[in-house]
Amino acid sequence: MGAQDEISASNEVQVTSNEKIAVVTESDEVGFDKSELHIDDEAGEIAAQALASGPADAEVSRKVLRKIDLYILPFLCITYGLQFLDKTTLGYSSVFGIIPDNHLKGQDYAWASSIFYFGYMMAEYPGVALMQRFPIAKFLGINIIIWASILMITATCSSFAGLATVRFLLGMFEATISPGFVAITGIWWTRQEQASRSAIWVSFLGFFGTIGGLITFGIGHIEGSLATWKLIFLILGAFTIFWGVLFLLVVPDNPATARWLTQEERVVAVQRVVENKTGTKSTTFVKAQVLEALTDPKILLLGLISFVNAVASGGLSFGSIIIRGFGFTPLETTLMNMPLSFLQAVFTLMGGYAQHKFPNARLIVGSVAMIPPIIGTVLINQLDTHNKWGRLVGVWLLAGYPTGFMVLLGLLATNVAGSTKKSMASAMVFVMYCVGQIVGPQCFKAKQAPAYHGGIVAMLIGFILNIVFNLTLRFLYQHENRKRDKALEGKTQEEIEALKDESRLQGFDNVTDKYNVFFRYSI
């Protein structure tokens, strides 16, 4: 069976098994060659109008992009920063008394850090399934408010059992934020824009890490009856609840429901992303797409990259403890953490800019970003223990690793089509992320404190494997793109144009990247 036959067969199965929105358009007026469009997408009639209308006016398109960047991007940035800040409050609190106040011994602190990701992992699959079924912005907004409430409850903990319970619940309700933001990025921005926008909102991990250092430094000077670590949880939790309410009120589920766009602009917003060939979002669950995701080696590699990147990230939950082990006071440790966070933001933005300038070098950018962390781990482990400033520079060089995660998120948004397949791929990638986050802290054995040589070596291995997996995935993407180009050889211009029209339709018909003959993978 040829590629085009597979596409036709795939479409026949989906049209007959799923309920579609049939929209009769004014195709004769716009020169579109189809009088009826079958849309399996939340954008519905707006998507049909966009497909029938051809390319958007350039000036109107730029105006719509400015609105999207104004109304959507800030909410992704600040929410992602808060998500990082809220889950890392345990690390900030570690130098302000949470360990003795909760009677943590031995590996208890490591498990309190890791158990967050057990909750995250358990909630990932049902979370992304619910996110596909329900309006995405409303679903995420409710999750933000719930996780913030749990964060505030953490201030009442006085034992390992209580702390572990709230950390587990916090992980459950933060589980859908990253895959949700990947989906939102694919809904609103073109393939060319996604890398830079992903870089911007991922960079807020670093910016909020820096802000978190300043906030905790300030809270550390508050004198009162409540312990400093309790104030950290209460203040950050309260602000996140406020932000969750704003998220619910402002962020729309898709272009068709955006109150800040006119009717014409809603159509243009969808026209802009037609060439993504991924649609906006379908609520139709397709079992075949689950199997396709589970057996796609490209998605399996994305999962492995997520795992090795997360091992390093999980290890950095010990960042404050490692820096304090160099000989700094608790307040000095908080300040010394700030350059690490700021450099994470800088490296991520530089990576986003590099992807924008060299759009076919995403995985190369992700690989190069692993070089500073590799150097950093060597400095931490090999320099004399009395050389605290040299080893501190090694910690700061670890800041390059989030760039690899940013590249991963961009590829997940760009290179997977079919709503069920994308949901499944996101779940697989973030489950592997959870496993890495669980494994990372466990590599830091209490008996190796304060140097933690074994944990640093585990991070080094993760950075090296990240490069290996990146280059392997790039090879697979290139191979698949060349194979698809070769399949078009010998076809007439009319046949190619017909296939292009069909490819655009398939983007809003819940067809996966595997069966869309004009889908090309970003590398």
Side-chain angles (χ1 to χ4, degrees):
M1 182 180 285
Q4 182 57 29
D5 293 331
E6 288 182 334
I7 292 171
S8 299
S10 172
N11 286 345
E12 288 171 8
V13 172
Q14 294 189 37
V15 170
T16 56
S17 62
N18 302 325
E19 183 180 354
K20 304 288 183 177
I21 302 173
V23 182
V24 178
T25 66
E26 299 175 1
S27 54
D28 293 338
E29 293 182 18
V30 296
F32 200 75
D33 63 352
K34 294 181 181 291
S35 60
E36 185 175 305
L37 303 178
H38 292 277
I39 304 297
D40 185 14
D41 192 279
E42 278 192 349
E45 191 170 338
I46 297 291
Q49 292 176 34
L51 285 164
S53 301
D57 176 78
E59 182 57 38
V60 178
S61 181
R62 283 192 291 271
K63 178 182 176 182
V64 170
L65 175 59
R66 286 194 295 270
K67 281 193 173 184
I68 293 169
D69 285 340
L70 177 64
Y71 283 93
I72 303 292
L73 192 56
F75 278 90
L76 299 187
C77 292
I78 294 176
T79 306
Y80 208 65
L82 285 172
Q83 178 241 194
F84 173 77
L85 194 58
D86 290 352
K87 76 179 179 184
T88 54
T89 44
L90 184 66
Y92 290 117
S93 302
S94 65
V95 295
F96 287 108
I98 194 171
I99 292 176
D101 286 358
N102 282 268
H103 313 290
L104 304 184
K105 308 290 184 184
Q107 290 294 105
D108 284 353
Y109 176 79
W111 279 112
S113 176
S114 294
I115 204 166
F116 171 94
Y117 293 98
F118 281 99
Y120 198 120
M121 185 165 55
M122 192 184 84
E124 193 63 47
Y125 281 103
V128 295
L130 289 170
M131 192 163 57
Q132 184 186 354
R133 180 67 183 84
F134 294 105
I136 187 168
K138 304 298 183 294
F139 180 80
L140 293 175
I142 291 170
N143 273 268
I144 293 168
I145 294 170
I146 295 174
W147 105 49
S149 302
I150 293 169
L151 192 71
M152 296 186 73
I153 292 172
T154 308
T156 67
C157 294
S158 59
S159 67
F160 171 72
L163 187 62
T165 299
V166 293
R167 290 285 295 174
F168 183 87
L169 292 172
L170 188 67
M172 288 185 64
F173 288 97
E174 287 197 24
T176 54
I177 298 301
S178 289
F181 283 13
V182 168
I184 288 174
T185 302
I187 289 170
W188 290 96
W189 286 284
T190 67
R191 289 166 69 96
Q192 293 74 26
E193 296 160 355
Q194 286 172 16
S196 59
R197 270 51 178 198
S198 294
I200 292 171
W201 57 260
V202 172
S203 73
F204 272 67
L205 295 177
F207 287 130
F208 269 67
T210 306
I211 293 170
L214 289 171
I215 291 172
T216 53
F217 182 77
I219 294 173
H221 286 83
I222 296 176
E223 295 181 2
S225 58
L226 278 178
T228 299
W229 68 267
K230 293 184 178 183
L231 287 173
I232 292 172
F233 286 101
L234 291 171
I235 292 171
L236 293 179
F239 180 79
T240 305
I241 288 175
F242 166 75
W243 187 256
V245 173
L246 281 183
F247 191 99
L248 276 172
L249 294 174
V250 177
V251 180
D253 300 301
N254 58 63
T257 60
R259 293 191 298 270
W260 36 267
L261 292 176
T262 66
Q263 184 67 14
E264 178 192 2
E265 289 171 341
R266 292 172 188 172
V267 175
V268 171
V270 177
Q271 283 177 304
R272 285 177 13 86
V273 299
V274 165
E275 293 302 327
N276 290 359
K277 302 179 179 66
T278 56
T280 59
K281 184 168 81 75
S282 169
T283 58
T284 305
F285 179 82
V286 183
K287 290 181 180 178
Q289 291 188 18
V290 174
L291 181 61
E292 186 178 323
L294 290 170
T295 57
D296 189 335
K298 298 183 293 296
I299 291 176
L300 296 178
L301 270 171
L302 286 173
L304 288 173
I305 294 169
S306 180
F307 169 75
V308 296
N309 193 275
V311 167
S313 179
L316 274 183
S317 63
F318 278 74
S320 295
I321 296 175
I322 291 171
I323 293 174
R324 188 175 183 187
F326 295 163
F328 295 101
T329 68
L331 286 177
E332 288 173 342
T333 297
T334 300
L335 290 176
M336 293 305 105
N337 249 325
M338 290 167 56
L340 172 63
S341 300
F342 181 75
L343 285 171
Q344 285 178 347
V346 171
F347 273 118
T348 303
L349 290 174
M350 287 172 61
Y353 177 76
Q355 289 182 88
H356 176 72
K357 293 293 290 184
F358 308 103
N360 290 322
R362 291 191 183 191
L363 286 160
I364 298 297
V365 170
S367 298
V368 171
M370 295 301 112
I371 295 175
I374 288 173
I375 296 171
T377 54
V378 173
L379 291 177
I380 296 169
N381 258 2
Q382 298 303 314
L383 288 179
D384 187 271
T385 55
H386 298 294
N387 189 352
K388 68 178 184 179
W389 290 104
R391 298 176 75 200
L392 181 61
V393 169
V395 172
W396 290 343
L397 287 175
L398 300 179
Y401 86 89
T403 304
F405 187 62
M406 176 266 294
V407 171
L408 169 71
L409 295 182
L411 293 174
L412 195 55
T414 303
N415 284 355
V416 185
S419 284
T420 304
K421 182 178 181 181
K422 179 166 283 192
S423 294
M424 191 66 186
S426 292
M428 291 167 65
V429 165
F430 286 103
V431 163
M432 292 299 289
Y433 168 80
C434 291
V435 174
Q437 291 280 2
I438 292 167
V439 169
Q442 299 310 314
C443 296
F444 288 73
K445 303 298 183 183
K447 62 183 180 182
Q448 294 182 345
Y452 296 106
H453 288 295
I456 301 300
V457 169
M459 295 173 73
L460 173 62
I461 293 170
F463 296 139
I464 293 171
L465 287 176
N466 203 318
I467 295 174
V468 174
F469 293 148
N470 279 349
L471 297 180
T472 304
L473 181 58
R474 179 179 168 86
F475 170 78
L476 289 182
Y477 282 149
Q478 287 178 315
H479 175 72
E480 185 63 32
N481 286 344
R482 284 194 295 264
K483 187 169 72 172
R484 295 184 182 203
D485 290 340
K486 190 173 180 62
L488 295 173
E489 292 178 2
K491 294 189 180 296
T492 66
Q493 189 61 35
E494 287 185 356
E495 289 174 325
I496 290 176
E497 289 303 319
L499 286 172
K500 285 182 178 180
D501 283 343
E502 183 176 13
S503 177
R504 296 184 186 102
L505 288 169
Q506 288 173 332
F508 292 91
D509 202 22
N510 204 13
V511 175
T512 66
D513 49 282
K514 180 179 179 180
Y515 295 109
N516 191 323
V517 71
F518 263 97
F519 191 98
R520 293 295 181 273
Y521 296 99
S522 297
I523 59 174

mmCIF file of all heavy atoms in Angstrom, residues 8-43:
data_model
loop_
_atom_site.group_PDB
_atom_site.id
_atom_site.type_symbol
_atom_site.label_atom_id
_atom_site.label_comp_id
_atom_site.label_asym_id
_atom_site.label_seq_id
_atom_site.Cartn_x
_atom_site.Cartn_y
_atom_site.Cartn_z
ATOM 1 N N SER A 8 -5.629 7.786 2.408
ATOM 2 C CA SER A 8 -7.041 7.644 2.074
ATOM 3 C C SER A 8 -7.713 6.647 2.998
ATOM 4 O O SER A 8 -8.812 6.864 3.504
ATOM 5 C CB SER A 8 -7.188 7.193 0.614
ATOM 6 O OG SER A 8 -6.627 8.146 -0.257
ATOM 7 N N ALA A 9 -7.015 5.514 3.243
ATOM 8 C CA ALA A 9 -7.583 4.500 4.114
ATOM 9 C C ALA A 9 -7.769 5.032 5.521
ATOM 10 O O ALA A 9 -8.784 4.802 6.170
ATOM 11 C CB ALA A 9 -6.670 3.265 4.146
ATOM 12 N N SER A 10 -6.750 5.777 5.995
ATOM 13 C CA SER A 10 -6.829 6.354 7.339
ATOM 14 C C SER A 10 -8.004 7.305 7.452
ATOM 15 O O SER A 10 -8.751 7.290 8.417
ATOM 16 C CB SER A 10 -5.533 7.092 7.657
ATOM 17 O OG SER A 10 -5.656 7.805 8.847
ATOM 18 N N ASN A 11 -8.197 8.135 6.415
ATOM 19 C CA ASN A 11 -9.294 9.107 6.448
ATOM 20 C C ASN A 11 -10.647 8.416 6.450
ATOM 21 O O ASN A 11 -11.575 8.818 7.130
ATOM 22 C CB ASN A 11 -9.207 10.043 5.241
ATOM 23 C CG ASN A 11 -8.076 11.036 5.400
ATOM 24 O OD1 ASN A 11 -7.566 11.204 6.498
ATOM 25 N ND2 ASN A 11 -7.669 11.673 4.314
ATOM 26 N N GLU A 12 -10.779 7.319 5.647
ATOM 27 C CA GLU A 12 -12.053 6.619 5.582
ATOM 28 C C GLU A 12 -12.442 6.076 6.940
ATOM 29 O O GLU A 12 -13.579 6.176 7.381
ATOM 30 C CB GLU A 12 -11.962 5.483 4.557
ATOM 31 C CG GLU A 12 -11.926 5.993 3.112
ATOM 32 C CD GLU A 12 -11.619 4.864 2.139
ATOM 33 O OE1 GLU A 12 -11.591 3.706 2.597
ATOM 34 O OE2 GLU A 12 -11.415 5.149 0.961
ATOM 35 N N VAL A 13 -11.468 5.501 7.666
ATOM 36 C CA VAL A 13 -11.746 4.953 8.979
ATOM 37 C C VAL A 13 -12.197 6.048 9.936
ATOM 38 O O VAL A 13 -13.183 5.910 10.641
ATOM 39 C CB VAL A 13 -10.474 4.253 9.552
ATOM 40 C CG1 VAL A 13 -10.711 3.868 10.999
ATOM 41 C CG2 VAL A 13 -10.156 3.018 8.723
ATOM 42 N N GLN A 14 -11.488 7.178 9.905
ATOM 43 C CA GLN A 14 -11.803 8.236 10.854
ATOM 44 C C GLN A 14 -13.126 8.927 10.524
ATOM 45 O O GLN A 14 -13.871 9.287 11.408
ATOM 46 C CB GLN A 14 -10.661 9.250 10.899
ATOM 47 C CG GLN A 14 -9.396 8.643 11.459
ATOM 48 C CD GLN A 14 -8.342 9.693 11.718
ATOM 49 O OE1 GLN A 14 -8.652 10.791 12.134
ATOM 50 N NE2 GLN A 14 -7.095 9.349 11.498
ATOM 51 N N VAL A 15 -13.445 9.077 9.263
ATOM 52 C CA VAL A 15 -14.695 9.749 8.894
ATOM 53 C C VAL A 15 -15.891 8.914 9.283
ATOM 54 O O VAL A 15 -16.896 9.422 9.739
ATOM 55 C CB VAL A 15 -14.718 10.061 7.379
ATOM 56 C CG1 VAL A 15 -16.091 10.535 6.956
ATOM 57 C CG2 VAL A 15 -13.683 11.115 7.042
ATOM 58 N N THR A 16 -15.772 7.585 9.137
ATOM 59 C CA THR A 16 -16.911 6.739 9.430
ATOM 60 C C THR A 16 -17.055 6.447 10.916
ATOM 61 O O THR A 16 -18.148 6.195 11.387
ATOM 62 C CB THR A 16 -16.784 5.401 8.688
ATOM 63 O OG1 THR A 16 -15.534 4.804 9.060
ATOM 64 C CG2 THR A 16 -16.837 5.598 7.193
ATOM 65 N N SER A 17 -15.945 6.488 11.667
ATOM 66 C CA SER A 17 -16.008 6.108 13.080
ATOM 67 C C SER A 17 -16.178 7.282 14.026
ATOM 68 O O SER A 17 -16.565 7.111 15.160
ATOM 69 C CB SER A 17 -14.736 5.345 13.481
ATOM 70 O OG SER A 17 -13.619 6.172 13.331
ATOM 71 N N ASN A 18 -15.891 8.488 13.588
ATOM 72 C CA ASN A 18 -15.959 9.665 14.457
ATOM 73 C C ASN A 18 -17.000 10.649 13.942
ATOM 74 O O ASN A 18 -17.180 10.812 12.749
ATOM 75 C CB ASN A 18 -14.610 10.388 14.516
ATOM 76 C CG ASN A 18 -13.514 9.479 15.019
ATOM 77 O OD1 ASN A 18 -13.765 8.644 15.877
ATOM 78 N ND2 ASN A 18 -12.318 9.642 14.492
ATOM 79 N N GLU A 19 -17.627 11.317 14.886
ATOM 80 C CA GLU A 19 -18.595 12.339 14.501
ATOM 81 C C GLU A 19 -17.865 13.577 14.018
ATOM 82 O O GLU A 19 -17.001 14.102 14.686
ATOM 83 C CB GLU A 19 -19.463 12.691 15.705
ATOM 84 C CG GLU A 19 -20.549 13.710 15.384
ATOM 85 C CD GLU A 19 -21.391 14.025 16.595
ATOM 86 O OE1 GLU A 19 -21.195 13.369 17.622
ATOM 87 O OE2 GLU A 19 -22.224 14.930 16.485
ATOM 88 N N LYS A 20 -18.220 14.075 12.840
ATOM 89 C CA LYS A 20 -17.555 15.233 12.256
ATOM 90 C C LYS A 20 -18.488 16.434 12.212
ATOM 91 O O LYS A 20 -19.703 16.305 12.274
ATOM 92 C CB LYS A 20 -17.087 14.933 10.821
ATOM 93 C CG LYS A 20 -16.191 13.719 10.709
ATOM 94 C CD LYS A 20 -14.842 14.004 11.272
ATOM 95 C CE LYS A 20 -13.923 12.811 11.104
ATOM 96 N NZ LYS A 20 -12.595 13.058 11.575
ATOM 97 N N ILE A 21 -17.891 17.575 12.018
ATOM 98 C CA ILE A 21 -18.668 18.786 11.783
ATOM 99 C C ILE A 21 -18.621 19.056 10.297
ATOM 100 O O ILE A 21 -17.573 19.380 9.750
ATOM 101 C CB ILE A 21 -18.080 19.986 12.543
ATOM 102 C CG1 ILE A 21 -18.043 19.685 14.045
ATOM 103 C CG2 ILE A 21 -18.864 21.251 12.265
ATOM 104 C CD1 ILE A 21 -17.321 20.736 14.841
ATOM 105 N N ALA A 22 -19.710 18.908 9.619
ATOM 106 C CA ALA A 22 -19.749 19.170 8.189
ATOM 107 C C ALA A 22 -20.175 20.607 7.966
ATOM 108 O O ALA A 22 -21.216 21.046 8.436
ATOM 109 C CB ALA A 22 -20.744 18.230 7.512
ATOM 110 N N VAL A 23 -19.368 21.349 7.249
ATOM 111 C CA VAL A 23 -19.627 22.771 7.040
ATOM 112 C C VAL A 23 -19.628 23.072 5.553
ATOM 113 O O VAL A 23 -18.664 22.784 4.860
ATOM 114 C CB VAL A 23 -18.543 23.637 7.727
ATOM 115 C CG1 VAL A 23 -18.854 25.100 7.535
ATOM 116 C CG2 VAL A 23 -18.466 23.293 9.203
ATOM 117 N N VAL A 24 -20.714 23.629 5.077
ATOM 118 C CA VAL A 24 -20.772 24.037 3.676
ATOM 119 C C VAL A 24 -20.239 25.456 3.594
ATOM 120 O O VAL A 24 -20.709 26.355 4.281
ATOM 121 C CB VAL A 24 -22.223 23.968 3.144
ATOM 122 C CG1 VAL A 24 -22.274 24.448 1.711
ATOM 123 C CG2 VAL A 24 -22.757 22.553 3.252
ATOM 124 N N THR A 25 -19.222 25.640 2.791
ATOM 125 C CA THR A 25 -18.558 26.938 2.709
ATOM 126 C C THR A 25 -18.854 27.614 1.381
ATOM 127 O O THR A 25 -19.332 27.000 0.434
ATOM 128 C CB THR A 25 -17.041 26.762 2.842
ATOM 129 O OG1 THR A 25 -16.577 26.037 1.708
ATOM 130 C CG2 THR A 25 -16.683 25.995 4.096
ATOM 131 N N GLU A 26 -18.492 28.880 1.316
ATOM 132 C CA GLU A 26 -18.646 29.635 0.087
ATOM 133 C C GLU A 26 -17.431 29.397 -0.799
ATOM 134 O O GLU A 26 -16.708 30.300 -1.173
ATOM 135 C CB GLU A 26 -18.800 31.119 0.426
ATOM 136 C CG GLU A 26 -20.038 31.403 1.287
ATOM 137 C CD GLU A 26 -20.087 32.849 1.700
ATOM 138 O OE1 GLU A 26 -19.187 33.600 1.295
ATOM 139 O OE2 GLU A 26 -21.011 33.234 2.406
ATOM 140 N N SER A 27 -17.212 28.145 -1.142
ATOM 141 C CA SER A 27 -15.979 27.778 -1.833
ATOM 142 C C SER A 27 -15.908 28.332 -3.240
ATOM 143 O O SER A 27 -14.836 28.608 -3.748
ATOM 144 C CB SER A 27 -15.852 26.244 -1.863
ATOM 145 O OG SER A 27 -17.022 25.676 -2.421
ATOM 146 N N ASP A 28 -17.045 28.480 -3.913
ATOM 147 C CA ASP A 28 -17.015 28.974 -5.287
ATOM 148 C C ASP A 28 -16.484 30.406 -5.337
ATOM 149 O O ASP A 28 -15.776 30.788 -6.266
ATOM 150 C CB ASP A 28 -18.425 28.933 -5.896
ATOM 151 C CG ASP A 28 -18.909 27.490 -6.077
ATOM 152 O OD1 ASP A 28 -18.044 26.589 -6.130
ATOM 153 O OD2 ASP A 28 -20.136 27.285 -6.147
ATOM 154 N N GLU A 29 -16.798 31.176 -4.277
ATOM 155 C CA GLU A 29 -16.381 32.563 -4.281
ATOM 156 C C GLU A 29 -14.888 32.705 -4.059
ATOM 157 O O GLU A 29 -14.267 33.617 -4.532
ATOM 158 C CB GLU A 29 -17.140 33.329 -3.181
ATOM 159 C CG GLU A 29 -18.640 33.427 -3.468
ATOM 160 C CD GLU A 29 -19.344 34.222 -2.391
ATOM 161 O OE1 GLU A 29 -18.651 34.948 -1.654
ATOM 162 O OE2 GLU A 29 -20.568 34.133 -2.289
ATOM 163 N N VAL A 30 -14.297 31.790 -3.305
ATOM 164 C CA VAL A 30 -12.879 31.916 -2.992
ATOM 165 C C VAL A 30 -12.025 30.998 -3.834
ATOM 166 O O VAL A 30 -10.824 30.944 -3.675
ATOM 167 C CB VAL A 30 -12.640 31.612 -1.491
ATOM 168 C CG1 VAL A 30 -13.325 32.633 -0.642
ATOM 169 C CG2 VAL A 30 -13.088 30.202 -1.139
ATOM 170 N N GLY A 31 -12.635 30.227 -4.729
ATOM 171 C CA GLY A 31 -11.864 29.377 -5.607
ATOM 172 C C GLY A 31 -11.422 28.084 -4.966
ATOM 173 O O GLY A 31 -10.553 27.396 -5.482
ATOM 174 N N PHE A 32 -11.996 27.731 -3.804
ATOM 175 C CA PHE A 32 -11.617 26.491 -3.146
ATOM 176 C C PHE A 32 -12.324 25.342 -3.831
ATOM 177 O O PHE A 32 -13.488 25.447 -4.180
ATOM 178 C CB PHE A 32 -11.993 26.568 -1.657
ATOM 179 C CG PHE A 32 -11.251 25.596 -0.811
ATOM 180 C CD1 PHE A 32 -9.929 25.824 -0.490
ATOM 181 C CD2 PHE A 32 -11.867 24.456 -0.339
ATOM 182 C CE1 PHE A 32 -9.240 24.939 0.299
ATOM 183 C CE2 PHE A 32 -11.177 23.568 0.455
ATOM 184 C CZ PHE A 32 -9.872 23.806 0.776
ATOM 185 N N ASP A 33 -11.648 24.214 -4.021
ATOM 186 C CA ASP A 33 -12.185 23.152 -4.861
ATOM 187 C C ASP A 33 -13.049 22.147 -4.107
ATOM 188 O O ASP A 33 -13.418 21.117 -4.651
ATOM 189 C CB ASP A 33 -11.044 22.415 -5.578
ATOM 190 C CG ASP A 33 -10.101 21.721 -4.620
ATOM 191 O OD1 ASP A 33 -10.244 21.947 -3.409
ATOM 192 O OD2 ASP A 33 -9.233 20.963 -5.093
ATOM 193 N N LYS A 34 -13.384 22.394 -2.849
ATOM 194 C CA LYS A 34 -14.249 21.491 -2.102
ATOM 195 C C LYS A 34 -15.457 22.274 -1.607
ATOM 196 O O LYS A 34 -15.319 23.360 -1.075
ATOM 197 C CB LYS A 34 -13.502 20.878 -0.909
ATOM 198 C CG LYS A 34 -12.361 19.968 -1.348
ATOM 199 C CD LYS A 34 -11.678 19.375 -0.128
ATOM 200 C CE LYS A 34 -10.513 18.480 -0.537
ATOM 201 N NZ LYS A 34 -10.930 17.259 -1.196
ATOM 202 N N SER A 35 -16.632 21.682 -1.736
ATOM 203 C CA SER A 35 -17.851 22.356 -1.309
ATOM 204 C C SER A 35 -18.247 21.954 0.100
ATOM 205 O O SER A 35 -19.086 22.586 0.709
ATOM 206 C CB SER A 35 -19.007 22.023 -2.260
ATOM 207 O OG SER A 35 -19.237 20.627 -2.271
ATOM 208 N N GLU A 36 -17.622 20.903 0.618
ATOM 209 C CA GLU A 36 -17.953 20.464 1.971
ATOM 210 C C GLU A 36 -16.676 20.041 2.683
ATOM 211 O O GLU A 36 -15.884 19.273 2.159
ATOM 212 C CB GLU A 36 -18.938 19.305 1.922
ATOM 213 C CG GLU A 36 -19.428 18.873 3.303
ATOM 214 C CD GLU A 36 -20.505 17.809 3.221
ATOM 215 O OE1 GLU A 36 -21.511 18.050 2.544
ATOM 216 O OE2 GLU A 36 -20.307 16.748 3.827
ATOM 217 N N LEU A 37 -16.465 20.586 3.879
ATOM 218 C CA LEU A 37 -15.278 20.256 4.659
ATOM 219 C C LEU A 37 -15.686 19.468 5.887
ATOM 220 O O LEU A 37 -16.641 19.831 6.571
ATOM 221 C CB LEU A 37 -14.561 21.536 5.096
ATOM 222 C CG LEU A 37 -14.127 22.498 3.994
ATOM 223 C CD1 LEU A 37 -13.473 23.718 4.613
ATOM 224 C CD2 LEU A 37 -13.193 21.821 3.015
ATOM 225 N N HIS A 38 -14.985 18.399 6.164
ATOM 226 C CA HIS A 38 -15.232 17.609 7.363
ATOM 227 C C HIS A 38 -14.191 18.001 8.404
ATOM 228 O O HIS A 38 -13.012 17.728 8.246
ATOM 229 C CB HIS A 38 -15.163 16.113 7.046
ATOM 230 C CG HIS A 38 -16.278 15.647 6.166
ATOM 231 N ND1 HIS A 38 -17.521 15.326 6.648
ATOM 232 C CD2 HIS A 38 -16.330 15.486 4.826
ATOM 233 C CE1 HIS A 38 -18.308 14.949 5.640
ATOM 234 N NE2 HIS A 38 -17.597 15.051 4.518
ATOM 235 N N ILE A 39 -14.664 18.647 9.465
ATOM 236 C CA ILE A 39 -13.755 19.191 10.470
ATOM 237 C C ILE A 39 -13.922 18.434 11.782
ATOM 238 O O ILE A 39 -15.013 18.388 12.337
ATOM 239 C CB ILE A 39 -14.034 20.693 10.709
ATOM 240 C CG1 ILE A 39 -13.950 21.472 9.400
ATOM 241 C CG2 ILE A 39 -13.071 21.254 11.748
ATOM 242 C CD1 ILE A 39 -12.599 21.456 8.748
ATOM 243 N N ASP A 40 -12.851 17.815 12.251
ATOM 244 C CA ASP A 40 -12.850 17.189 13.569
ATOM 245 C C ASP A 40 -11.909 17.992 14.448
ATOM 246 O O ASP A 40 -10.806 17.550 14.781
ATOM 247 C CB ASP A 40 -12.397 15.730 13.459
ATOM 248 C CG ASP A 40 -12.480 14.989 14.787
ATOM 249 O OD1 ASP A 40 -13.122 15.532 15.702
ATOM 250 O OD2 ASP A 40 -11.903 13.901 14.909
ATOM 251 N N ASP A 41 -12.363 19.192 14.794
ATOM 252 C CA ASP A 41 -11.502 20.120 15.502
ATOM 253 C C ASP A 41 -12.378 21.069 16.304
ATOM 254 O O ASP A 41 -13.480 21.433 15.865
ATOM 255 C CB ASP A 41 -10.650 20.905 14.495
ATOM 256 C CG ASP A 41 -9.529 21.680 15.142
ATOM 257 O OD1 ASP A 41 -9.794 22.781 15.665
ATOM 258 O OD2 ASP A 41 -8.389 21.187 15.129
ATOM 259 N N GLU A 42 -11.896 21.482 17.483
ATOM 260 C CA GLU A 42 -12.682 22.378 18.333
ATOM 261 C C GLU A 42 -12.982 23.709 17.667
ATOM 262 O O GLU A 42 -13.967 24.363 17.994
ATOM 263 C CB GLU A 42 -11.939 22.631 19.651
ATOM 264 C CG GLU A 42 -12.122 21.540 20.687
ATOM 265 C CD GLU A 42 -11.614 21.952 22.053
ATOM 266 O OE1 GLU A 42 -10.932 22.994 22.147
ATOM 267 O OE2 GLU A 42 -11.900 21.246 23.026
ATOM 268 N N ALA A 43 -12.113 24.133 16.748
ATOM 269 C CA ALA A 43 -12.338 25.410 16.069
ATOM 270 C C ALA A 43 -13.557 25.370 15.166
ATOM 271 O O ALA A 43 -14.096 26.411 14.775
ATOM 272 C CB ALA A 43 -11.104 25.818 15.275
#
